[in-house]
Amino acid sequence: MMITVIGSGYVGLVAGACFADLGNDVICVDTDPAKIDMLRRGQVPIFEPGLEPLLQRGVQSGRLEFTTDYDLAVGRSNIFLIAVGTPPDEDGSADLRHVLSAAAAIGDRLTQKAVIVNKSTVPVETAAKVEAVIAARLRSRGVDVEFSVVSNPEFLKEGAAIADFTRPDRIIIGSSDEWATEIMRNLYAPLNRRQDKIIVMDARSAELTKYAANAMLATRISFMNELAHLAEAVGADIESVRRGIGSDPRIGLRFLYPGCGYGGSCFPKDARALISMGAEREVPLRVMRAVEEANERQKHALFEKLAAFYGGETNLQGKTIALWGLSFKPDTDDMREAPSRVLIADLLSHGAQVRAYDPAAMTQTRQIFADASRLTLCPSAADALEGSDALAIVTEWREFRSPDFGEIASLLKDKVIFDGRNMYERSVTDAAGLAYFDIGRNPVARRE
């Protein structure tokens, strides 16, 4: 098939590279010439395991191209994937300017029957808006071209996007046109052979499904974080509680891990967009508001534990805190809404020094905290410990799972770890002479 992908960000690059690897001819169009030049050289501007070699294979085979020329990109295809950003507006609603601009670019150039696919995360009724824009542009040109707008939301996890795309749990197709649905079935046929994973529904239901999925996962996380606070208050172990409720097949164990809050490009943005969507229609989503509020509070949890340990926020003045993990989750360099940003800001605003390390997100952090003189970005996890009073862990990267606890104890002045991801067992840290405070498995931290 001949596919044009509009937008060469996270979703567009993954979809384009994967569809090309399945044998399709794909051209990705973007308005950023520097990004297109980088992609033509086989270099990926984002950190995603497995994406760069997949992209390079597509470019070398001739099945994957990159361009800034909309005339070229639209003129050769009959399937268009809109995969542009939908950043939040000030009120939390999704900004559709880039989506509608992509629709206009298609409408200005379309000459043959086509399927336009919304891959971007968009509010309900966006498919209708895209259809209206394209139809208006066609009328202004005085041409009559048959087209159909389909909602096909992505369900990609950063750090596992290639596997999620090639081995999907489900493939949602929001379409009311049989011919467009059949084209989408053919497009996804290589990924749908062993078991039919395609679920066809109307476009509005497909658009809402994407938000509902992320909202449910965010709800589970915030629910466990609130229970973790209660567990600390009553002397219970949240890990035992997690296993106890997760063994119920109606609940399951996934996304029941307490921590220092969720971040990234999806959960926070989509939760706010869903709340905004409800408010526009006078349907207050009280549960989602509580989920969002709980998560914002949770991002301060590690700072509160540090402050309690040192006897108050003012006593953090002059302390040096080592910080392991900056990205919002492992296997990505994405710092959007990352809990580390809140912790760093809290520590710096109370006079502490921060020595931070992350395997992938150092460049992003350097840009975000360019003016932070008391933040030092270190070349390794061990280097971050040098001269530090305490260690705070924010992101559960693999390289942090089995550290040298003896080395940690020898380097930290106050021999204490604050673990925002519950990575370690207290018996191990106790043996190394380290005080250890995690989320929901021990009382409030106090310095001896």
Side-chain angles (χ1 to χ4, degrees):
M1 294 186 177
M2 305 292 290
I3 302 170
T4 289
V5 179
I6 300 178
S8 295
Y10 186 84
V11 174
L13 285 181
V14 171
C18 287
F19 276 131
D21 202 52
L22 293 173
N24 301 286
D25 288 320
V26 179
I27 183 166
C28 297
V29 59
D30 199 282
T31 57
D32 186 343
K35 181 190 289 187
I36 292 299
D37 287 342
M38 176 185 290
L39 292 167
R40 284 171 174 169
R41 296 192 302 269
Q43 299 173 340
V44 178
I46 59 176
F47 181 86
E48 176 62 37
L51 180 56
E52 189 162 274
L54 191 68
L55 181 144
Q56 292 171 350
R57 189 159 67 239
V59 171
Q60 291 166 4
S61 70
R63 291 194 299 270
L64 181 60
E65 300 177 51
F66 298 95
T67 186
T68 58
D69 186 345
Y70 269 88
D71 290 335
L72 172 65
V74 175
R76 60 183 278 180
S77 298
N78 61 356
I79 299 177
F80 299 90
L81 306 185
I82 298 178
V84 296
T86 53
D89 267 337
E90 292 181 3
D91 62 355
S93 63
D95 184 344
L96 295 179
R97 283 178 297 174
H98 300 305
V99 172
L100 299 181
S101 176
I106 295 171
D108 286 341
R109 297 166 176 84
L110 194 63
T111 59
Q112 60 181 331
K113 185 176 181 179
V115 177
I116 290 81
V117 183
N118 272 340
K119 292 294 290 183
S120 301
T121 299
V122 293
V124 174
E125 298 182 349
T126 299
K129 293 178 181 179
V130 168
E131 181 177 349
V133 168
I134 296 174
R137 294 300 179 112
L138 290 174
R139 284 195 301 272
S140 69
R141 292 167 53 205
V143 298
D144 184 14
V145 180
E146 187 176 3
F147 71 95
S148 181
V149 178
V150 172
S151 176
N152 176 219
E154 52 83 18
F155 298 96
L156 307 178
K157 298 187 295 293
E158 291 190 42
I162 306 302
D164 286 343
F165 192 97
T166 56
R167 296 189 294 275
D169 297 316
R170 73 285 206 199
I171 301 167
I172 303 294
I173 297 175
S175 171
S176 300
D177 294 321
E178 290 186 11
W179 67 269
T181 301
E182 188 61 25
I183 288 176
M184 294 300 293
R185 285 188 179 277
N186 291 335
L187 178 63
Y188 280 106
L191 309 178
N192 197 45
R193 297 197 185 282
R194 293 185 178 180
Q195 175 187 351
D196 188 3
K197 300 175 182 177
I198 291 177
I199 304 173
V200 180
M201 59 185 71
D202 63 276
R204 295 189 182 198
S205 296
E207 291 163 341
L208 185 56
T209 295
K210 168 64 177 180
Y211 283 104
N214 282 346
M216 175 59 74
L217 297 175
T219 299
R220 287 169 67 93
I221 294 171
S222 282
F223 174 72
M224 287 303 292
N225 284 337
E226 295 226 307
L227 279 186
H229 285 289
L230 181 59
E232 290 181 357
V234 302
D237 182 343
I238 194 62
E239 176 59 19
S240 297
V241 175
R242 184 187 74 86
R243 291 198 305 268
I245 65 175
S247 61
D248 186 329
R250 297 171 299 175
I251 298 174
L253 288 166
R254 300 190 68 183
F255 282 84
L256 286 184
Y257 292 93
C260 51
Y262 60 76
S265 63
C266 294
F267 288 6
K269 176 175 70 71
D270 292 355
R272 292 168 196 151
L274 196 60
I275 292 167
S276 175
M277 217 183 304
E280 288 176 5
R281 293 159 178 81
E282 298 184 351
V283 180
L285 301 183
R286 298 180 181 88
V287 171
M288 284 315 303
R289 284 193 179 278
V291 167
E292 174 69 9
E293 291 168 3
N295 188 60
E296 289 307 303
R297 290 195 303 271
Q298 194 67 16
K299 290 182 179 180
H300 298 279
L302 278 185
F303 175 77
E304 292 167 357
K305 287 179 178 291
L306 278 155
F309 179 79
Y310 285 110
E313 297 175 354
T314 57
N315 293 333
L316 287 167
Q317 177 83 31
K319 293 292 182 182
T320 299
I321 308 301
L323 195 157
W324 283 1
L326 296 163
S327 57
F328 85 94
K329 62 177 284 188
D331 297 319
T332 181
D333 63 349
D334 197 339
M335 288 284 291
R336 286 173 289 184
E337 305 273 356
S340 65
R341 297 175 64 162
V342 175
L343 177 58
I344 291 171
D346 283 346
L347 289 169
L348 295 181
S349 68
H350 288 85
Q353 303 269 348
V354 178
R355 294 178 59 81
Y357 167 73
D358 186 280
M362 303 294 268
T363 299
Q364 298 281 346
T365 308
R366 192 172 289 110
Q367 294 170 351
I368 293 166
F369 292 98
D371 300 325
S373 60
R374 283 181 283 108
L375 170 64
T376 302
L377 298 182
C378 302
S380 69
D383 189 74
L385 300 173
E386 293 283 350
S388 294
D389 296 285
L391 168 63
I393 301 173
V394 181
T395 314
E396 63 275 32
W397 283 91
R398 287 184 182 87
E399 70 174 84
F400 303 153
R401 290 180 181 175
S402 300
D404 185 336
F405 290 101
E407 180 184 39
I408 294 174
S410 68
L411 292 174
L412 292 179
K413 296 175 184 177
D414 291 328
K415 302 184 187 305
V416 58
I417 298 174
F418 298 87
D419 185 356
R421 299 300 174 187
N422 291 2
M423 296 186 70
Y424 309 135
E425 294 298 329
R426 188 163 290 103
S427 59
V428 177
T429 54
D430 285 350
L434 289 160
Y436 178 64
F437 300 99
D438 50 17
I439 306 293
R441 295 195 294 183
N442 62 281
V444 175
R446 300 289 182 196
R447 194 176 186 186
E448 295 295 339

